[in-house]
Amino acid sequence: MSTTDTSTGTGADGAAEALSTAPREDGDTTGDAPNLPKLGVIGWLRWFWRQLTSMRVALILLFLLSLAAIPGSLVPQEGTDPVKVSDFLKNHTTLGPIYTKLGLFHVYSSVWFSAIYILLFVSLAGCIIPRSWQFVGQLRSQPPRAPRKLDRMPAYATWRTDATPQDVLDSARDTLRGRRFRVASGEESVAAEKGYLREAGNLVFHIALFGLLIAFAIGTLYKSDGNKLVVTGGGFTNNQTQYDDLRHGAFFDPDNMAPFGFRLNAFHATYEDSGPQKGTPRSYSADVTYFGPDGKSHKRTIHVNDPLNVAGNKVYLTSHGYSMVVTVRDGQGNVAYSGPVPFLPLDGNVTSQGVVKVPDAVGKDGKRDQLGFAGLFTPTMAIDPVNGPHSVFPALDRPALFITGYHGDLGMDSGLAQNVYTLDTTNKNLKQFTDDKGNPVRKLMVPGDTWTLPNGAGSITLNRVDQWANFEIVHQPGNSLALGSAVCMLLGLAGSLFIQRRRVWVRARRTEDGRTLVELAGLGRSESRKVAEELAVLVSAVHAKAPTAAEEPQESQPDSLSDGDHSDKEQS
């Protein structure tokens, strides 16, 4: 079947082509081959731009971006876990330098990931802009006039009637407008079009994908993510020095952090106390008093997966443990340290370890004699020959502290950073307390106990056991844009998949016998029964007002709609 130019409205294929907003290639298509640009700088630039802005290349780049993000999940990243990166380099002396050169320890800021991201960004922009202009042009234009041979359309119906052509066209126009078609009248014909939301959905999908990329860029460049351990009764204020560790994007400004803070009033934890799940946490919650930019105090309970939202930040409750509240006196009887010391959990029953460092202690002779204590805490104590001291339940049922003492030089004045949760017992200037026989001394303490250190070095008192909670403070701009873009992507995809762009034409003209020949045809962008069904509804409505002429033979009755073979004779 031959087709004709869509500007004349005489071909089915041409009419179908006009339903698309896909960018069209320039060049004369009337000959055997299009007029391609001459090779040269301009020609190559035009060719590269067309390839880059094609939907095929955009999908390839999107796939490559997904693949490029995989190493960021498998390989430790410097921005999120520098300690693991350091350990990886120590343990993999051959593979580590290769990963470093490839930028696998900072995937999302690497040159190759940024190149794919920017190319995809440009590709989508170059694809969306021409489609948008073409779609706007189609919205402003009228439906194309009826082709000369309507019987070549996929859905077609015809009959003869005694009604006037104007009555037929008026009936068709009213019916089409009632079914929300955009209608345009022509000479002896009516043209109607429907389904613009299909192309609108297609554009919304790609624009939303564009917005999702922007949201990802904003979230990566301006985000911050930090942790803070807070003991019951302690607090936190949002500034860089208050964080235990803080990771942030390249454009994040630590000097311009949102003004807010909170105080941990109490921590509550419940556990399964029987059955195979004994010791499994049932609930964690933290009662806090927080203030925001308004400076007013508010009370709130933070649960797991129910963060506190304040000043554009989310405060998550991530973990908890126990803190030993101790008082340490030196050899002179003076209080050298008093306060809480957090211990870190080692297992699910919160068997914990920690250290107490007292750099200001003085010996009984008046000379500087720093004190250090390494302890193992068990909330519910148990001792056996295999596991030694350990906890059998995470709640404070039988709390006990097994502690070992040291004195001498803690090495804190060397200028080197130290882990506050470990004690460097390899230091030759730090000696362990021993008894009269030279055996190391270890003390079992419960809340309220005091251990008097050997040789008059002082004492340590376990006053009580408090709880601590660890909070993760996340500032992630762009989340609202990402959520809105994702929703728009789904809506746009649904529209582009389930809505069909379609056109309907109605022609009515006088014949030599004085009757009116009625022709109706429908065309969709893709094969679908919806076009034939809508045309059947239109045929029924028009035929009700312009019925078949009484003396017309049987074969001239309104025929059923055809959806396959077509000929030049009157058919449906």
Side-chain angles (χ1 to χ4, degrees), residues 139-374:
L139 289 178
R140 297 178 62 183
S141 63
Q142 293 293 325
R145 62 186 182 182
R148 184 164 50 88
K149 292 185 177 293
L150 290 178
D151 56 354
R152 293 184 177 181
M153 295 296 144
Y156 175 75
T158 183
W159 72 91
R160 294 176 184 271
T161 180
D162 290 332
T164 64
Q166 190 60 42
D167 291 340
V168 173
L169 297 179
D170 290 343
S171 175
R173 189 181 299 108
D174 294 340
T175 302
L176 290 169
R177 286 175 176 169
R179 296 186 62 81
R180 298 188 300 277
F181 276 82
R182 190 174 61 170
V183 180
S185 300
E187 185 179 356
E188 298 183 341
S189 65
V190 171
E193 195 167 14
K194 189 178 183 181
Y196 289 96
L197 288 180
R198 178 187 179 90
E199 292 300 329
N202 192 17
L203 289 174
V204 167
F205 174 82
H206 290 91
I207 293 173
L209 179 59
F210 195 76
L212 195 63
L213 292 176
I214 295 177
F216 175 78
I218 293 174
T220 302
L221 295 174
Y222 292 93
K223 72 174 182 179
S224 68
D225 188 349
N227 290 279
K228 177 62 178 179
L229 187 150
V230 182
V231 180
T232 302
F236 165 80
T237 303
N238 189 38
N239 61 70
Q240 191 172 8
T241 59
Q242 287 278 298
Y243 284 88
D244 294 332
D245 63 89
L246 178 63
R247 304 170 297 275
H248 54 77
F251 292 168
F252 179 79
D253 184 7
D255 297 328
N256 193 27
M257 302 175 74
F260 74 91
F262 61 88
R263 178 183 179 85
L264 178 60
N265 301 322
F267 182 86
H268 308 283
T270 59
Y271 308 91
E272 292 288 346
D273 54 8
S274 62
Q277 300 295 323
K278 181 179 179 180
T280 302
R282 298 179 59 185
S283 66
Y284 288 153
S285 62
D287 297 334
V288 300
T289 300
Y290 72 94
F291 67 89
D294 58 359
K296 297 180 180 179
S297 296
H298 310 274
K299 290 188 176 181
R300 170 79 148 77
T301 299
I302 304 176
H303 300 273
V304 177
N305 297 326
D306 182 20
L308 167 66
N309 291 276
V310 54
N313 294 261
K314 289 187 177 181
V315 182
Y316 293 90
L317 174 62
T318 57
S319 61
H320 98 291
Y322 294 103
S323 177
M324 308 301 108
V325 181
V326 299
T327 299
V328 179
R329 294 182 181 272
D330 61 14
Q332 300 292 317
N334 300 319
V335 176
Y337 177 82
S338 180
V341 180
F343 276 43
L344 299 182
L346 299 175
D347 56 28
N349 287 319
V350 202
T351 302
S352 309
Q353 69 176 8
V355 300
V356 181
K357 296 181 181 181
V358 189
D360 298 328
V362 178
K364 65 179 181 179
D365 56 1
K367 296 181 180 180
R368 187 178 185 185
D369 189 25
Q370 296 180 335
L371 299 176
F373 302 91

Side-chain angles (χ1 to χ4, degrees), residues 27-253:
D28 182 13
T29 59
T30 58
D32 295 334
N35 292 331
L36 297 176
K38 295 180 180 180
L39 292 178
V41 176
I42 302 300
W44 279 111
L45 289 176
R46 291 180 63 187
W47 177 85
F48 177 78
W49 176 252
R50 288 184 178 179
Q51 297 301 315
L52 180 61
T53 57
S54 65
M55 188 55 61
R56 178 180 63 256
V57 172
L59 293 175
I60 293 174
L61 290 172
L62 186 61
F63 178 70
L64 289 177
L65 190 69
S66 302
L67 291 180
I70 294 176
S73 301
L74 302 179
V75 180
Q77 300 294 291
E78 292 178 348
T80 57
D81 204 335
V83 176
K84 285 188 176 180
V85 174
S86 179
D87 293 341
F88 188 93
L89 291 173
K90 291 179 181 179
N91 299 329
H92 302 83
T93 56
T94 302
L95 198 59
I98 297 176
Y99 279 15
T100 301
K101 291 181 180 180
L102 294 177
L104 296 182
F105 294 121
H106 52 91
V107 169
Y108 303 112
S109 60
S110 63
V111 175
W112 49 272
F113 187 88
S114 300
I116 298 174
Y117 187 87
I118 293 173
L119 285 175
L120 177 60
F121 203 83
V122 174
S123 178
L124 285 176
C127 182
I128 291 171
I129 292 174
R131 279 180 175 263
S132 300
W133 281 115
Q134 290 182 20
F135 182 62
V136 170
Q138 289 187 3
L139 289 178
R140 297 178 62 183
S141 63
Q142 293 293 325
R145 62 186 182 182
R148 184 164 50 88
K149 292 185 177 293
L150 290 178
D151 56 354
R152 293 184 177 181
M153 295 296 144
Y156 175 75
T158 183
W159 72 91
R160 294 176 184 271
T161 180
D162 290 332
T164 64
Q166 190 60 42
D167 291 340
V168 173
L169 297 179
D170 290 343
S171 175
R173 189 181 299 108
D174 294 340
T175 302
L176 290 169
R177 286 175 176 169
R179 296 186 62 81
R180 298 188 300 277
F181 276 82
R182 190 174 61 170
V183 180
S185 300
E187 185 179 356
E188 298 183 341
S189 65
V190 171
E193 195 167 14
K194 189 178 183 181
Y196 289 96
L197 288 180
R198 178 187 179 90
E199 292 300 329
N202 192 17
L203 289 174
V204 167
F205 174 82
H206 290 91
I207 293 173
L209 179 59
F210 195 76
L212 195 63
L213 292 176
I214 295 177
F216 175 78
I218 293 174
T220 302
L221 295 174
Y222 292 93
K223 72 174 182 179
S224 68
D225 188 349
N227 290 279
K228 177 62 178 179
L229 187 150
V230 182
V231 180
T232 302
F236 165 80
T237 303
N238 189 38
N239 61 70
Q240 191 172 8
T241 59
Q242 287 278 298
Y243 284 88
D244 294 332
D245 63 89
L246 178 63
R247 304 170 297 275
H248 54 77
F251 292 168
F252 179 79
D253 184 7

